[in-house]
Structures are given as structure tokens and as C-alpha cells.
Amino acid sequence: MTQQLFLTALLVHDYDEAIQFYVEKLGFEVRLDNVLSPQKRWVVVAPAGSRAGCILLAKAETERQAAYVGNQTGGRVFLFLNTDDFKKDYAAYLERGVRCVEEPRYENYGTVSVFEDLYGNRLDLIQHIEPYGMLE
């Protein structure tokens, strides 16, 4: 049996503001936006052109869930975005107003910088020196 991780849930305060950030600021695309009830939608976004790595934008429904919006990983990086053109994407993020919290640095695996989404969740923008073996 073969399994694949196909969605990662991300708690958000509002569907539309989260869609706007991920689409307009990070260049993602909306894969699904289905209304399930007057209060709930099934919203899936992913990096434009990618075949994997989808995020389910899940609106917090309780106070407990709302308390975790922006801090689902205790301040650690939540998303790792691989790019084939770090300089271009880095400049685009800055131009679009994405908050950079760590300037680019060069590691043995490639170039990386840390950004934050609209709620404070951290994400790495990475250009690997060579294909990242375990992800192929």
C-alpha cells in the first residue's frame, strides 16, 4: 500500500483574508473553495503549478482553536517552500510586503530565508543546491 500526505491543515481567523495572503503575497493558487455550511468552507491552496504540498485553510471554530492561529508550531517554521529561483522569489515576497524575519543565509543544503504569514506562522523559502533526495 502506498500512502501520500496530501493536505496540511492551517488554522486561520478568516477564509478570505487567508486566501488573499496566500494567493496575492505568496503566489499560491486556490485549488478548491467549497461551501460546506454557512460557517464552514473547504479551502485548499497550493504553490502555483505544484502537484503536491496543499494547505487546507481551516477557520478556527472555537476559542481554543483561535488561540493557536499563528502559533501552530510553537514558533518553529511551519512551511518549507522549495524554489528554483531564490533571488526572484525573495525579491517578490519583499515587494509584496511579506514579513522577512531572517535574512538569507547560505547553508550546506542551499540558500534559505524565513518569512511569516499574515498570522505569524513561519515559513522557509529555500533553494536547494541539488534536488532534495527524500522529496523526489
Side-chain angles (χ1 to χ4, degrees), residues 4 16 20 25-26 28 32 37 39 43 46 63 75 92 97 104 107 112 114:
Q4 289 184 314
D16 293 321
Q20 182 178 10
K25 304 281 186 180
L26 296 186
F28 282 36
L32 289 170
S37 74
Q39 298 80 28
V43 179
E63 286 183 29
E107 301 289 348
V112 61
V114 181

